Amino acid sequence: MTRRERVARITTTMRTTGRLVGLATVMSVAALAWLAMHRTAAIAKQTPFAMHCAEFAGMWLSPDLIEMPTAGALVETAAMVEASAPGNQQGGEYCRITGRIKALNPTTPDIRFDLNLPRRWNGRALQIGGGGYDGVIVSGIGVMPFSPDRAPLAQGYATFGDDSGHVGDSSLAQFGLVDEAVTNFGYAHLKKTHDVALALIARAYGGPPQRMYFAGGSTGGREGYTVMQRFPDDYDGVIANSPSLNFSGVRLIGVKLGQAEYGRPGGFVPPALLERVYQRTLEVCDRLDGTADGIVSDVEACRAHESQIIDSLRCALHTSSHDACLTDAQMATLLVMRDGLSLPYRLAWDVSGYRGYNVFQGTRLTGALGLAHQPQRQAALSFYANGYLFAQGDGYLRFFVARDAHFDSLTFDPQRPGKYRAQLLGLSATIGSMNPDLSRYIAHGGKLLTLQGLADEVISPNQTIAYHHALVARNGQDAVDRFMRLYMVPGFQHGNGAFIPSVDLLGALDAWVTRGVAPETLTATDLAAATNGRSRPLCRYPTFPRYVGKGNVNLASSFICAQP
């Protein structure tokens, strides 16, 4: 069912029966119908914010209103947040709604959601994605990551998000033992929350949003690609940054990396040596873009020097270890990350592995999301002690794949999964977003912006680039250019890095969707503490910022977007 058909159905139901959107208080169907009909008839005579916010509280939404199977939804709280309320920095008052979407199985956690309805509505709605394994409600109140200071809600967007159907922080994978929760996390929560929010927005304002957008990064980026692939008619535009498209792949390479660090004698690489690798790449590659600015911008040129960099970092054959060089075992660990994962079998959408990372092209692996900081595997893995990729991969393997909390991920062979192969294949279809068929989304005019760091240490930038190539192979370059912009950012990691871009992607997306103004080169301001305020052009892939040889190196105007 298209969004137009769904909205028509919602509106018709509101006017006639009161059955699908009804108050949980004890009222007759006739009374509900009278209330809905008269409230709808009065909309044209009222301001866009047509209902008193408190009347949403206790509202029950029938399962018939939600296209995917649920046991209905309940609005738990609804309260106006005044413009002068402490902590309200949104520039105006809004109605804050919280609720939950009931699972079919009573033992499955509900999907908890938040919806914010601004009094000054701009006619648009924005669904916001989560991160990691989700588990925390996305409030939709604040500023979008790596965007200017004004939040979407303050700009008049109705905003909403959810917890994907389980409770816990982004590192907890225990919900992988529950089938319905896995399906919700993979894709179903997105549609369920969308349909509930759409009904409530239409009820509040008397009509549907003129535009429906989605925005997210990492897991939220995967969710952005998921809605285009699975629910293409529901969205007009998507921002999907640093997307974990190949979710099973990135978890499996995390396990393989942990095995290299802890399953082989001498495989652990101390942070001091990881920093040495990073500094060596800067020594060789920083100036390849025309200036020494602490950023490796010309990644492809740097890749041509990779052998030289690796040779300069290796310890001599007769040296077992040294403070300033890497042993063969330590180098092998880094090469696991560089080379990625190749599988002798296929996951969903013909996926045969996971692309490697830019380990020797300016990626810093010493941060909180980098490689392990402790030489021993902890009893309970943590991101910092044992590395983000390994900790997340270990949880995925134990709870999603083996479904055994005591399973030892160091004994698992991703190339030969044995009895777990079918489970891996099923999970890659449920959670992964590698389907290159976006034809329906493209056909109705949907737009896509993706931004990712070339130095990302969590989601391989080369995996994102490979998916882009798959889109071009399937649809042709012209078709992809008409609906997508890919910005690969030098120096940017997974939320940190030598360059942390701030740019108004939502404004660019809205201008493209509503006015046909296709974004080209954008300008990003650096949020990194040491270099805060400098600017660089955001160049469309495959181009990169090259210094023109004169002018202030802290200004984007001193750079051009050059071909590699």
Side-chain angles (χ1 to χ4, degrees):
M1 182 182 295
T2 66
R3 187 170 74 220
R4 180 177 297 178
E5 293 168 338
R6 177 163 296 278
V7 170
R9 178 181 176 188
I10 292 169
T11 304
T12 300
T13 302
M14 286 169 57
R15 289 172 175 166
T16 56
T17 67
R19 179 172 62 89
L20 298 186
V21 182
L23 298 178
T25 51
V26 180
M27 296 180 68
S28 68
V29 172
L32 285 172
W34 182 92
L35 181 64
M37 182 171 59
H38 282 73
R39 193 167 279 137
T40 303
I43 284 170
K45 301 178 181 179
Q46 298 181 14
T47 61
F49 201 83
M51 289 185 63
H52 293 292
C53 180
E55 294 180 0
F56 280 103
M59 184 176 289
W60 175 256
L61 287 81
S62 164
D64 294 340
L65 186 61
I66 306 167
E67 192 167 307
M68 301 199 73
T70 72
L74 173 67
V75 174
E76 294 183 307
T77 67
M80 284 299 298
V81 179
E82 302 298 329
S84 59
N88 181 10
Q89 301 176 0
Q90 308 312 315
E93 57 185 352
Y94 63 96
C95 177
R96 180 159 179 77
I97 293 173
T98 69
R100 59 182 62 234
I101 303 168
K102 308 296 291 183
L104 293 176
N105 189 326
T107 63
T108 300
D110 296 336
I111 300 169
R112 299 173 300 156
F113 69 89
D114 282 6
L115 170 65
N116 309 291
L117 304 172
R119 180 176 289 280
R120 298 190 190 95
W121 188 39
N122 66 6
R124 297 161 175 77
L126 175 66
Q127 184 174 4
I128 304 173
Y133 281 114
D134 287 337
V136 178
I137 302 174
V138 177
S139 70
I141 291 176
V143 175
M144 292 175 60
F146 317 117
S147 295
D149 292 339
R150 196 158 180 246
L153 181 59
Q155 299 176 49
Y157 286 87
T159 62
F160 60 98
D162 62 74
D163 66 356
S164 84
H166 63 277
V167 178
D169 66 38
S170 63
S171 67
L172 298 177
Q174 287 92 327
F175 71 94
L177 298 171
V178 182
D179 288 340
E180 191 176 1
V182 170
T183 301
N184 279 337
F185 173 70
Y187 61 89
H189 77 102
L190 299 164
K191 178 63 172 172
K192 294 173 182 178
T193 302
H194 166 276
D195 288 357
V196 168
L198 182 64
L200 295 174
I201 290 169
R203 176 92 173 197
Y205 297 111
Q210 297 169 355
R211 303 294 182 187
M212 178 71 77
Y213 299 141
F214 187 96
S218 195
T219 284
R222 172 184 63 80
E223 291 169 346
Y225 279 84
T226 296
V227 300
M228 291 186 295
Q229 293 169 18
R230 292 183 181 269
F231 317 114
D233 296 324
D234 287 345
Y235 299 87
D236 301 293
V238 168
I239 298 169
N241 296 335
S242 309
S244 55
L245 298 168
N246 186 353
F247 195 83
S248 288
V250 72
R251 294 298 177 249
L252 289 178
I253 197 173
V255 170
K256 190 174 179 181
L257 191 57
Q259 291 170 347
E261 292 174 298
Y262 296 115
R264 300 176 186 169
F268 171 74
V269 186
L273 283 182
L274 293 175
E275 182 64 16
R276 172 63 183 140
V277 173
Y278 174 69
Q279 293 299 333
R280 181 58 181 150
T281 64
L282 291 183
E283 291 169 7
V284 175
C285 298
D286 188 359
R287 292 183 178 274
L288 295 177
D289 59 5
T291 184
D293 57 359
I295 303 172
V296 177
S297 293
D298 193 345
V299 168
E300 291 307 312
C302 184
R303 207 181 305 282
H305 294 273
E306 185 172 90
S307 295
Q308 168 195 343
I309 293 170
I310 290 175
D311 289 344
S312 69
L313 291 167
R314 285 186 185 275
C315 294
L317 294 178
H318 62 274
T319 305
S320 59
S321 65
H322 191 277
D323 289 344
C325 63
L326 284 85
T327 65
D328 288 345
Q330 291 168 336
M331 183 62 73
T333 295
L334 297 186
L335 294 181
V336 165
M337 192 172 186
R338 182 204 68 177
D339 294 342
L341 179 68
S342 179
L343 300 174
Y345 54 91
R346 293 293 190 267
L347 300 175
W349 300 295
D350 204 36
V351 170
S352 60
Y354 192 80
R355 300 301 177 103
Y357 296 74
N358 295 330
V359 174
F360 302 102
Q361 289 81 40
T363 300
R364 199 172 205 163
L365 299 174
T366 56
L369 299 181
L371 296 189
H373 285 70
Q374 295 295 327
Q376 290 83 33
R377 178 188 180 187
Q378 308 297 299
L381 300 186
S382 72
F383 294 167
Y384 187 80
N386 303 116
Y388 182 89
L389 288 173
F390 179 40
Q392 292 287 53
D394 175 80
Y396 184 71
L397 198 60
R398 287 187 293 127
F399 294 105
F400 284 76
V401 180
R403 295 196 145 181
D404 177 359
H406 303 290
F407 187 82
D408 184 1
S409 61
L410 293 184
T411 67
F412 181 77
D413 185 354
Q415 272 82 18
R416 299 170 183 81
K419 65 181 181 180
Y420 302 114
R421 180 171 169 175
Q423 180 71 356
L424 279 172
L425 177 60
L427 287 168
S428 67
T430 299
I431 304 176
S433 301
M434 290 290 286
N435 184 357
D437 184 6
L438 296 180
S439 55
R440 186 159 177 170
Y441 185 74
I442 297 171
H444 84 71
K447 306 301 182 187
L448 166 64
L449 300 181
T450 288
L451 177 153
Q452 180 165 355
L454 282 164
D456 197 321
E457 75 277 42
V458 173
I459 303 301
S460 171
N462 300 308
Q463 182 67 73
T464 301
I465 290 170
Y467 181 84
H468 180 265
H469 289 166
L471 287 178
V472 172
R474 183 183 182 93
N475 303 281
Q477 188 68 59
D478 289 344
V480 172
D481 288 345
R482 284 194 295 270
F483 96 99
M484 181 182 185
R485 291 291 183 268
L486 175 60
Y487 298 97
M488 302 301 298
V489 187
F492 184 38
Q493 301 202 193
H494 205 72
N496 59 345
F499 186 88
I500 304 175
S502 174
V503 61
D504 184 12
L505 291 182
L506 183 57
L509 179 70
D510 186 57
W512 197 5
V513 171
T514 60
R515 304 198 308 275
V517 181
E520 296 297 333
T521 300
L522 303 176
T523 298
T525 302
D526 192 0
L527 297 177
T531 48
N532 187 275
R534 67 176 172 175
S535 61
R536 289 288 185 275
L538 280 188
C539 299
R540 288 181 56 189
Y541 174 80
T543 64
F544 68 93
R546 180 188 292 279
Y547 182 58
V548 297
K550 59 182 178 179
N552 190 334
V553 296
N554 292 319
L555 295 179
S557 57
S558 300
F559 292 77
I560 61 170
C561 290
Q563 292 289 337

